[in-house]
Amino acid sequence: MTHPPRIIFDLDGTLVDSAPDLHAAANVTLAALGREDVSLSQVKAFIGNGIIKLVERCLDATGGADPRTFDAALAKFQTAYEADPATLTTVYPGVRGALTDLCAAGFAMGLCTNKPEAPARDILRRFGLAQYFDAVVGGDTIGALKPDPAPLLACGEKLSDGPMVYVGDSETDAATARAAQAPFLLFTKGYRKTAVDQIAHQAVFDQFEKLEGLARWAAGMDQEAPSDRIA
């Protein structure tokens, strides 16, 4: 293989369980508006289309908002979340080992998330994951959000010209990979809203120990696929 294969990851619900910190920031925002809290399960359902949509959905769930109220809520949320994006967040089991193995296997690695780039990089740094990623594209990096394929393609362009694989947990990630014509590996323990068989994918996994074999196959490094996780 002339160029190293590229593997690009989503962040929220894929590498980290960030919903508790997003939930905390959402309720700080709602409290400032004199509104009732939203639940953690509601926030998990709201994740996936960027901060603007998350705030919009929180406001819709608590009575709606006019443009002025929305702008104030968005500013409050951004301030609250960027000040404390990682206290309650956890890395999914096996992530560090999988990233180490993929690096050793010769993959160039990137991150493509709808979270703004600054808190995404902050989370990577705080959990000791930044060292693995040669490119990070956030929701505000190029002015486009997934499922537009532009952020994923931009991230890939920063890495190499090798085959590209995308790893994520949601319907949005699947649509992004399809639009970018990249194989999609679906992590099933994230924030998806529908059944696994309703989300387009080349393979699924529920433990990160299984990821390297799937990634090698999806990138064309191995001809024989791991037997039980293929669509």
Side-chain angles (χ1 to χ4, degrees):
M1 192 173 289
T2 304
H3 300 285
R6 301 167 288 175
I7 186 164
I8 301 175
F9 292 86
D10 174 51
L11 182 60
D12 300 295
T14 300
L15 296 178
V16 299
D17 180 7
S18 55
D21 277 307
L22 292 165
H23 177 233
N27 284 337
V28 166
T29 301
L30 293 170
L33 297 176
R35 299 194 180 194
E36 297 293 324
D37 288 352
V38 288
S39 68
L40 179 59
S41 62
Q42 284 178 294
V43 169
K44 285 183 178 181
F46 296 160
I47 293 172
N49 301 104
I51 294 297
I52 290 173
K53 292 300 292 186
L54 175 60
V55 172
E56 179 183 302
R57 288 164 179 162
C58 288
L59 293 175
D60 286 346
T62 56
D66 58 34
R68 182 175 179 180
T69 300
F70 173 81
D71 289 345
L74 179 60
K76 181 66 175 179
F77 181 92
Q78 290 173 319
T79 298
Y81 186 64
E82 292 184 16
D84 191 13
T87 297
L88 304 174
T89 294
T90 56
V91 179
Y92 285 112
V95 163
R96 290 186 181 87
L99 296 179
T100 298
D101 291 344
L102 289 164
C103 184
F107 281 88
M109 289 193 282
L111 187 84
C112 179
T113 173
N114 277 344
K115 186 188 295 295
E117 184 175 339
R121 287 186 178 276
D122 194 13
I123 287 171
L124 293 178
R125 179 184 58 79
R126 292 194 193 202
F127 288 107
L129 303 178
Q131 62 183 310
Y132 295 105
F133 295 99
D134 296 315
V136 175
V137 172
D140 57 352
T141 303
I142 67 166
L145 292 172
K146 301 179 294 181
D148 188 321
L152 179 57
L153 294 171
C155 188
E157 288 171 1
K158 295 174 182 287
L159 296 174
S160 81
D161 292 323
M164 182 170 69
V165 178
Y166 190 43
V167 182
D169 70 298
S170 72
E171 298 83 352
T172 297
D173 295 324
T176 305
R178 174 178 282 184
Q181 299 183 339
F184 179 59
L185 306 182
L186 173 63
F187 178 56
T188 61
K189 293 186 176 179
Y191 304 147
R192 62 185 169 85
K193 301 169 182 63
T194 55
V196 167
D197 62 6
Q198 295 178 354
I199 301 174
H201 58 270
Q202 276 59 58
V204 299
F205 67 102
D206 57 5
Q207 297 176 33
F208 271 87
E209 289 79 6
K210 301 175 181 178
L211 179 57
E212 183 189 354
L214 294 172
R216 291 178 63 91
W217 165 75
M221 300 170 73
D222 294 340
Q223 295 301 310
E224 186 172 346
S227 60
D228 64 340
R229 311 306 294 168
I230 305 304

